[in-house]
Amino acid sequence: MKKEIVTLKKIAQTLDLSTSTVSRALNDHPDISEATTKKVKQLAQSLNYVPNIFAKGFRKHRSNIIGVIVPNITHYFTTTMVRGILEEAAIKGYRVIISESNNDVLKQTEMLNTMMQFGVDGILASLTKMTRDIDNILPILNKVPLILFDKVSNKIPCTQITINDEEAAYNAIEHLINIGKKRIAIIKEREFSYTSEKRFSGYLKALKDHDIEIDEKLIISVDDISLIQGKRMANHLLSIKNRPDAIFAITDSAAIGVIQTLKKFNINIPEDIAVVGFSNSSHSIIIEPKLTTVDQPGEKIGKNAVKYLIEEIESTTDILTNKMIEIKGNLIIRDSTFKV
């Protein structure tokens, strides 16, 4: 048997009322008597009536729905940002639709279009690391507010929220220099990753400010900053003639892979080679030795992203914003760089 969809019209016909009266009663309109409101709500509850938020949004030109697109929903740091988004959106009275692009540019474009079809009031997007062409993203700016977070692009003229990647990386490298390290390697992503390049800039600046010569052999670029690649690149760095005395990986996953390889070859950490990661994932305190890393305040980034998006949604002007909001990330010093 086909399920019947309960509508405002159905409730109105049952109670011999107009659909507008039923609608106003469900929304506690002061013009509707208390008795009528009670009668309408009781019938709606007994019929398991669920409001059609899309129809409601169409009438009000507002759906109170935010679209969120992330590269990988299972990534630890991503989950902390999503938690912040969900909490802040709930406080502000907005629902959230979350989708993941799986780092696929075509799927990212598909998801942006789908969000528009759902009638979202605004979109929060963390871009795929392969995003080069922004022609499919720019038209969104003329339709709804768009804010980028975490994985951002300086080519897109919109509000962007990330951590202070360059400064955070600088502080990590300076810490290694302060404990006596001179040959500091970096494992980063290949070009075009905004986040990676910012952290690389911090690395270069710290070496320059401390008069440490830059050795190209210690700069390792890979397509995927994963645990497996961390292991592989650590093997490579150990094979060069003048090996590093410290390794900075721009993700915790790669840094943990580095530690596992160093332990395999019985290399003392941090005495022989110190290791620093980035993100302060839950695994950073499980690995032995515990990993020194930059703490990324994911929930704070998520909450700020929602705040700025709602400001733009509810703004009475059509002026596009174009600003970079940097959230401070702090270095967490643990056993992989310092021993008591």
Side-chain angles (χ1 to χ4, degrees), residues 5-195:
I5 298 175
V6 180
T7 63
L8 287 177
K9 186 176 180 180
K10 170 72 174 177
I11 296 172
Q13 289 174 340
T14 303
L15 297 174
D16 197 23
L17 297 170
S18 68
T19 53
S20 63
T21 297
V22 170
S23 176
R24 285 183 290 174
L26 289 171
N27 288 285
D28 296 307
H29 197 284
D31 289 348
I32 307 301
S33 70
E34 187 176 331
T36 300
T37 296
K38 182 178 180 181
K39 183 168 57 174
V40 169
K41 287 187 174 182
Q42 284 179 340
L43 180 60
Q45 185 176 6
S46 68
L47 294 174
N48 294 317
Y49 168 72
V50 178
N52 186 326
I53 59 175
F54 297 107
K56 186 176 181 180
F58 180 78
R59 291 191 297 272
K60 290 186 174 183
H61 303 289
R62 183 75 62 79
S63 65
N64 277 60
I65 299 174
I66 293 171
V68 179
I69 302 172
V70 295
N72 187 342
I73 196 70
T74 61
H75 190 281
Y76 170 79
F77 180 53
T78 302
T79 62
T80 64
M81 291 189 293
V82 168
R83 189 182 306 124
I85 288 170
L86 292 172
E87 288 178 2
E88 189 64 25
I91 291 171
K92 301 290 187 183
Y94 281 76
R95 296 177 177 87
V96 178
I97 297 175
I98 302 173
S99 182
E100 63 178 343
S101 64
N102 291 318
N103 267 313
D104 184 316
V105 176
L106 291 178
K107 188 169 184 182
Q108 176 176 269
T109 300
E110 178 189 331
M111 291 301 100
L112 285 168
N113 293 330
T114 299
M115 294 297 180
M116 295 304 302
Q117 291 168 1
F118 275 134
V120 298
D121 293 333
I123 297 174
L124 298 175
S126 180
L127 301 176
T128 75
K129 61 185 179 182
M130 299 304 292
T131 299
R132 309 281 188 272
D133 185 359
I134 62 170
D135 288 344
N136 292 321
I137 300 174
L138 293 178
I140 300 295
L141 300 174
N142 297 319
K143 298 174 183 177
V144 298
L146 169 69
I147 285 183
L148 302 181
F149 67 103
D150 186 35
K151 303 294 187 296
V152 300
S153 169
N154 54 11
K155 297 179 182 178
I156 302 173
C158 66
T159 298
Q160 313 200 27
I161 301 174
T162 183
I163 78 158
N164 57 337
D165 286 294
E166 184 172 343
E167 181 185 348
Y170 182 100
N171 292 339
I173 301 306
E174 189 169 60
H175 165 64
L176 290 170
I177 294 169
N178 289 339
I179 62 171
K181 303 302 181 178
K182 301 291 185 184
R183 289 187 54 74
I184 303 170
I186 182 172
I187 302 175
K188 68 179 188 70
E189 284 183 296
R190 297 193 193 280
E191 288 69 21
F192 304 115
S193 168
Y194 177 88
T195 299

Side-chain angles (χ1 to χ4, degrees), residues 227-244:
L227 184 143
I228 292 174
Q229 285 285 26
K231 287 182 176 181
R232 288 174 178 168
M233 295 307 104
N235 271 299
H236 169 73
L237 287 167
L238 291 176
S239 70
I240 65 178
K241 185 175 181 180
N242 192 5
R243 63 171 55 166

Side-chain angles (χ1 to χ4, degrees), residues 294-311:
V294 175
D295 179 47
Q296 291 179 284
E299 287 193 36
K300 189 173 181 180
I301 290 174
K303 289 181 178 182
N304 273 276
V306 171
K307 287 178 183 177
Y308 280 100
L309 184 63
I310 292 176
E311 280 182 15

Side-chain angles (χ1 to χ4, degrees), residues 179 181 245 268-275 335-339:
I179 62 171
K181 303 302 181 178
D245 56 13
N268 294 320
I269 308 170
E271 295 87 352
D272 297 334
I273 300 179
V275 183
D335 295 343
S336 68
T337 63
F338 182 80
K339 287 199 175 173

